[in-house]
């Protein structure tokens, strides 16, 4: 072409990990577009197609405790419906989790449960790589949702739960002693 007809499609602003777009862990869907993205992935991803072709990047700050869910989904006009996700500790760092099709249809779903020792540290920032299986591109949604965990949140009790985010009133201390009625040293 020798005359620009205005049809140029430029890469997304978050085409590289260094330009990851920050997401809030609030359950609100954010539109993902990877139409003109280029590979910027790490080796060792266990995705089914084994390749990174057109990824975009996001970042988030991990909540403390509870359960964090990251998922891609239909945005009502989806043209990008076969997603792959990976979460890294930093750009170019260690993959903490990756997924092909754990969500609805061919969408992705990752769950980080504090109690399961998922490797996320509350308050730290992590990056998410969104890629299309076998070069799939277009638009879809990505949502980060947090679910509270009920339990004892008081560190002074024996049943303190470091993953609990809401105190449920069950905090107790274990008191050792004789609990056999009629014993001389019975401890009520």
């Amino acid at each position: 072409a020798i005359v620009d007809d205005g049809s140029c499609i430029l890469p997304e602003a978050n085409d590289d990990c260094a330009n990851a777009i920050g997401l809030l862990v609030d359950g609100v869907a954010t539109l993902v577009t990877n139409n003109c993205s280029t590979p910027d992935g790490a080796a060792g991803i266990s995705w089914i197609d084994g390749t990174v072709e057109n990824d975009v990047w996001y970042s988030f700050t991990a909540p403390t405790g509870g359960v964090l869910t990251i998922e891609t989904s239909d945005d009502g006009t989806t043209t990008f419906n076969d997603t792959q996700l990976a979460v890294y500790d930093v750009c170019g760092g260690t993959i903490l989790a990756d997924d092909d099709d754990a969500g609805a249809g061919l969408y992705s779903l990752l769950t980080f449960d504090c109690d399961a020792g998922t490797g996320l540290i509350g308050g730290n920032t992590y990056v998410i790589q969104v890629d299309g299986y076998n070069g799939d591109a277009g638009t879809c949604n990505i949502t980060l949702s947090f679910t509270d965990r009920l339990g004892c949140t008081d560190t002074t009790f024996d049943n303190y739960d470091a993953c609990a985010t809401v105190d449920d009133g069950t905090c107790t201390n274990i008191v050792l002693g004789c609990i056999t009625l009629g014993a001389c040293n019975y401890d009520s």
Side-chain angles (χ1 to χ4, degrees):
I2 57 173
V3 176
D4 189 346
D5 66 358
S7 64
C8 295
I9 301 172
L10 299 174
E12 303 306 317
N14 57 336
D15 186 35
D16 296 315
C17 186
N19 298 320
I21 294 173
L23 297 175
L24 296 176
V25 180
D26 60 4
V28 176
T30 299
L31 184 67
V32 172
T33 303
N34 73 334
N35 285 320
C36 185
S37 301
T38 57
D40 182 32
I45 293 176
S46 60
W47 290 331
I48 293 170
D49 74 352
T51 59
V52 176
E53 296 161 314
N54 51 356
D55 57 359
V56 288
W57 294 85
Y58 296 90
S59 65
F60 68 96
T61 301
T64 300
V67 178
L68 173 67
T69 303
I70 302 170
E71 63 183 317
T72 55
S73 62
D74 188 345
D75 71 350
T77 61
T78 293
T79 55
F80 174 27
N81 58 16
D82 195 349
T83 60
Q84 301 176 129
L85 289 178
V87 174
Y88 297 80
D89 57 350
V90 294
C91 289
T94 302
I95 297 173
L96 302 176
D98 65 322
D99 163 85
D100 282 317
D101 301 324
L106 300 174
Y107 290 106
S108 298
L109 173 71
L110 292 173
T111 301
F112 295 90
D113 185 343
C114 172
D115 196 35
T118 58
L120 296 185
I121 298 170
N124 284 6
T125 300
Y126 297 91
V127 289
I128 305 168
Q129 178 184 30
V130 183
D131 186 46
Y133 173 79
N134 203 23
D136 195 17
T139 61
C140 70
N141 279 334
I142 187 167
T143 307
L144 280 68
S145 304
F146 176 76
T147 305
D148 279 318
R149 177 183 168 123
L150 300 177
C152 177
T153 60
D154 189 333
T155 59
T156 63
F157 285 91
D158 292 336
N159 67 331
Y160 166 70
D161 182 351
C163 292
T165 55
V166 175
D167 197 287
D168 63 359
T170 61
C171 294
T172 58
N173 281 321
I174 298 171
V175 178
L176 299 175
C178 176
I179 59 171
T180 303
L181 289 174
C184 294
N185 64 338
Y186 172 72
D187 183 354
S188 60

